[in-house]
Amino acid sequence: LAIPAFLHAPMSIEAMNAGKHVYVEKPFAMNRIESESMIASSKENDVRLMVGHLLQYHPIFLTIRELVESGELNTLRYICSNRLSFGKIRSEEDVIWSFAPHDISMILSLTGQVPETVRTESSCILQPNIADTATVHMKFNSTLKAHISISWLHPYKEQKLVVVGKDAMVVFDDMRPWN
């Protein structure tokens, strides 16, 4: 489903109740209650419910994941992701729900861990109650930390993932052309 975010839950549930598998764009839902309802509907109707984490299949990200899994970077120490642009201002979801799912998905895939703590700082600049800029801080263990900077009020587009290991680091700049 590629529809406005506030329709993701009701339309997904309607499709699953009709016996259809559902692939929904992010944000998956607008809140936890909607998410849990969607998952319950998937189980009750014995259908697949999938969310669009497209960067998991990007050739460069796959290479980074191979480098991490092979131990070439050694122990991961820090992951930094910037997803910045002067983009479309949303009225239903904030920048965290709109931009951060890609980065969170990649970080969780690379670490293979659930963070011990997550802290978010955000600012509602153009509209009340809808964050336009935010930083997400994740602490995984005593040596591994990650942070995500997201904004749709940045004058220059930047989509960059930096993965720092004990012995090496790798940078995925999604704005550069790749062969």
Side-chain angles (χ1 to χ4, degrees):
L1 297 172
I3 54 178
F6 71 93
L7 293 173
H8 286 182
M11 295 295 291
S12 293
I13 291 169
E14 185 176 330
M16 289 184 289
N17 286 342
K20 304 294 182 188
H21 301 292
V22 173
Y23 175 86
V24 64
E25 263 304 326
K26 53 97 193 134
F28 182 67
M30 298 302 293
N31 56 56
R32 181 179 175 172
I33 293 170
E34 286 184 358
S35 297
E36 290 171 348
S37 296
M38 292 166 70
I39 293 167
S41 180
S42 171
K43 290 177 181 176
E44 289 167 11
N45 293 292
D46 193 30
V47 295
R48 301 267 188 253
L49 175 59
M50 302 162 283
V51 66
H53 289 295
L54 301 177
L55 288 173
Q56 287 285 329
Y57 307 100
H58 192 292
I60 301 303
F61 180 74
L62 293 173
T63 300
I64 292 171
R65 196 165 66 202
E66 288 173 13
L67 290 170
V68 169
E69 290 171 356
S70 74
E72 193 162 333
L73 305 180
N74 203 327
T75 305
L76 290 184
R77 295 292 175 91
Y78 177 65
I79 301 173
C80 171
S81 184
N82 292 337
R83 188 165 302 278
L84 312 167
S85 72
F86 192 69
K88 179 182 171 193
I89 309 302
R90 273 68 167 194
S91 59
E92 290 88 25
E93 81 264 17
D94 66 18
V95 73
I96 297 167
W97 282 88
S98 186
F99 283 13
H102 294 298
D103 308 288
I104 293 168
S105 172
M106 289 188 295
I107 291 169
L108 294 179
S109 177
L110 291 173
T111 64
Q113 301 176 40
V114 174
E116 292 176 359
T117 61
V118 177
R119 182 174 50 90
T120 303
E121 301 166 17
S122 63
S123 297
C124 303
I125 297 167
L126 299 180
Q127 309 173 75
N129 302 318
I130 297 181
D132 301 298
T133 66
T135 304
V136 179
H137 303 272
M138 294 182 272
K139 181 178 180 286
F140 290 88
N141 56 43
S142 61
T143 61
L144 177 57
K145 294 173 180 54
H147 91 259
I148 302 167
S149 295
I150 44 181
S151 175
W152 53 45
L153 297 180
H154 199 273
Y156 304 103
K157 188 167 186 166
E158 180 177 325
Q159 295 175 353
K160 209 173 271 188
L161 178 72
V162 178
V163 182
V164 180
K166 183 179 175 193
D167 294 339
M169 77 169 61
V170 63
V171 177
F172 173 15
D173 184 346
D174 201 18
M175 298 306 300
R176 293 188 55 199
W178 295 91
N179 294 334

